Each structure stands twice: as C-alpha cells, then as structure tokens.
Amino acid sequence: MNKENVNIPFVSFRPMEKELGEELRAAFDRVLERSWYIGGTEGKTFEESFSKYCGRKYCVGVGNGLDAIVLALKALGITCGDEVLVPSNTYIATALAVTYVGARPVFVEPDIRTFNMNPSLIEQAITDKTKAIIPVHLYGQPCEMNEIMRIADKYGLKVVEDCAQAHGATYQGRKVGTFGDVACFSFYPGKNLGALGDAGAIVTDNEEMADIIRTLGNYGSDYKYHHIRKGQNTRLDELQAAFLSVKLPHLDRMNEERRRIAYCYTEGIRNDKVKTPYVIPDCSPVWHIYAVRCDERDALEMHLRDNGIVTNKHYPIPMHLQECYKDLQIPEGSLPIAEEISRTELSLPMYYGLSDREVRYIIDTINAF
C-alpha cells in the first residue's frame, strides 16, 4: 500500500452497516409502524434471545452499561460504607458505579500480561467492609474466573462481572457472564455487539434479582404508578432492542473475524519494542480492543499516524489519578502497574471488515518502527 493514500481508522462501522443495512432499516420501520417505543415486544424478544445466548435464565435491558452496574450493585444491597474491589486498570465507569451507590472502590492491580485483575492480589485488598468484586473482562480478554470465584466464595463476597467489552468471550468453555451473581453488558455502538445509540443489559440466573433490577430501572415501579423502590429511569428502548436483535445472530461470526485479525497481529508483529497481548490458557477472547505495549508508545503512535493508521489509548490516565477521584487520596506511584499500562498501552485498529491488506500494512509499519 502507498502510505500517501492510506487512511485506516481505529474503528469503522461501514462494513457492518453495508452488510446489515437492509435488516436494520426493516427493524426501524417495524418499530415505527407499531408506534410503541418503550416496554414493548422488541425489548422482550431481545432480552429472551440475549439471555439464551449468554447461557443465563434472565436478562433485563437498561439504558447503558454504567446503569447496568449501578442497578446490579443496588440489587445486591451494596450501599454506603461498603467497599467493592475493582481493577485499577479499566474504564472509569466501573468505579463510578461503585461511587454512585455510596460505596468505596478499592483498586486491585492487574496482571500486566493480560491487563485483567490479578487474582493473587485480591485477598490482600479484602477488609471487613468488602462486600463485592467486579472483575472486568477488559479488551475482550476473560478474567481468571475460577480463582476469583474461589476467593469470593471463601469470603462471602458478591461477584458482578463487567462484560462491557467481552460479548461472547469464553473461559474454560463457559461464556463470560455466567460465573458471577450478575453480569453487566454495554451495547455502546463501538462494542462487539453494539446498538445504534446507548444501551445495556444485565443477566442473571436469580429470578428475584432480575425482578428487583427491572423495577429499579423503571422508577422503582412494579406496575404503573405503583412504586415499591426508590428507582431510576434506565430502560432499553424498542428501537435499540430491534437493532440489537438484528445484530445478535451475527455476533459469533463477527467475533471470529476479530480473532483472525488478532492472530495475524500476534503472529506478524516482530518488533522487540512492541509487546503483544498474552492469552491465558483455555480461553477465547473476542478482541474488542487489541492492545500492545511499548515504552516509546507516543513515538509509535506518531509513527503509525504519519503512515495513515489511527490508534487509540486505553486509558491514558489511570482512575486513581483522575481529578474526580482525588478524594480517595491515592498518590501517584501507589498503583504502579496501572500507571505503567496507562503510559505504554496503544490500541491498534480492530473491527469487522478490516481487510487483510490493511492488517498486513499495519504489521509492516509497526515492524519498521
């Protein structure tokens, strides 16, 4: 490829939209024709399909992934004075959900190879105030759930899986989202299963938990104008549910394409300055993000940009150093692994429809750095 004509975005929806465009337009027309936009058949249909896909009994659609975690924590009784263990390296929504229910997020450092919460560091973070763990299957890489669940059982802790980036990933033959008490998903447009706007969902095998979550997300109401809880307004609308129902049957196929691209990256990148991701045995990531690490990250980013390749950084400022969490009084240097990842991580283009020629060009450009 001639670099003068190259423009490879970090993410593009165009290939998917071109392939599924007619089905998506038909879904829009169907909702418009029914003139029913909240709490109708589209939402119920998607919830049933997604719970079956995940391998759980119940699914409750909500407005977004952050709300999903908030409602899950509320339904589990997490409240003021409690502590919840979260990864020190993740998107801030995970910690914000803990804050929103009045609890305190306690950060656990990741395994720098996988970017996920390190199970060997969990027990030292547990206190008599600890009530729950939120393992995040970051970048689509499954956490080591057997060990996390063993620790949770040992200390009587609730487990909320954050699956926002891991739709369809498996650990030891089981889909993520089937290990904890509840699991939370985001359907933000860029996710592997993305809506055409904000949307989210919670899955569980506990019918009572599902009922509590549903009422909490509907103003605390179990039926119209009857409010049994102090709830909020966060519901999966009919239009987004219809779009998600179109895309769900294609998810596994599109995830396989991501796996193929990730394999090409891992096998093709041969630059000693660039560390490719490590995959733990007996798991199958879905590569929402393909994250490499490089001590000269900013120079690599500029090198790729100069050659027409757009990248991203997940995440350039760790949560404990964000201004909004100054109240936690965690000084710089306290969580060195999260800080190192923030300083060295670079995310390569990864999306359904990225061509073989583009992947090869990206690899060659990295190897030339």
Side-chain angles (χ1 to χ4, degrees), residues 53-231:
Y53 174 83
C54 292
R56 303 218 80 163
K57 293 180 180 178
Y58 307 102
C59 172
V60 181
V62 296
N64 56 70
L66 171 57
D67 286 352
I69 305 174
V70 171
L71 295 186
L73 291 172
K74 285 184 176 181
L76 290 168
I78 308 302
T79 188
C80 297
D82 293 339
E83 293 179 351
V84 178
L85 305 186
V86 300
S88 61
N89 172 56
T90 186
Y91 185 55
I92 200 168
T94 312
L96 286 175
V98 177
T99 302
Y100 287 173
V101 300
R104 179 184 178 90
V106 175
F107 299 120
V108 177
E109 287 272 70
D111 181 332
I112 199 165
R113 301 173 305 164
T114 66
F115 305 101
N116 280 334
M117 182 184 282
N118 190 335
S120 68
L121 302 177
I122 291 176
E123 288 191 85
Q124 66 192 50
I126 296 173
T127 72
D128 59 358
K129 296 181 179 179
T130 308
K131 297 296 188 295
I133 307 175
I134 307 180
V136 180
H137 304 290
L138 196 67
Y139 307 155
Q141 287 260 34
C143 294
E144 296 174 70
M145 289 307 301
N146 285 350
E147 182 62 11
I148 290 173
M149 293 306 299
R150 184 193 68 79
I151 295 169
D153 290 342
K154 178 180 177 181
Y155 291 92
L157 305 178
K158 301 297 185 182
V159 176
V160 177
E161 290 182 73
D162 184 338
C163 304
Q165 300 182 4
H167 315 70
T170 62
Y171 173 75
Q172 296 192 353
R174 287 175 58 182
K175 280 195 173 77
V176 300
T178 61
F179 294 87
D181 296 274
V182 293
C184 302
F185 290 84
S186 166
F187 302 125
Y188 182 77
K191 306 301 187 186
N192 292 39
L193 179 62
L196 303 191
D198 267 326
I202 302 160
V203 297
T204 182
D205 288 333
N206 188 312
E207 184 176 12
E208 181 182 8
M209 187 74 58
D211 289 342
I212 292 171
I213 290 167
R214 193 175 298 281
T215 59
L216 283 171
N218 187 35
Y219 299 98
S221 174
D222 54 350
Y223 59 88
K224 196 171 183 68
Y225 301 134
H226 185 256
H227 304 272
I228 57 176
R229 296 180 175 90
K230 295 182 178 71

Side-chain angles (χ1 to χ4, degrees), residues 22 62 72 114 146 174 230 250 253 255 260 308 313 325 327 340 348:
E22 289 187 13
V62 296
T114 66
N146 285 350
R174 287 175 58 182
K230 295 182 178 71
H250 303 276
R253 176 174 60 84
N255 278 343
R260 190 186 67 79
K313 296 188 283 286
Y325 275 124
D327 61 305
E340 181 175 347
L348 304 185

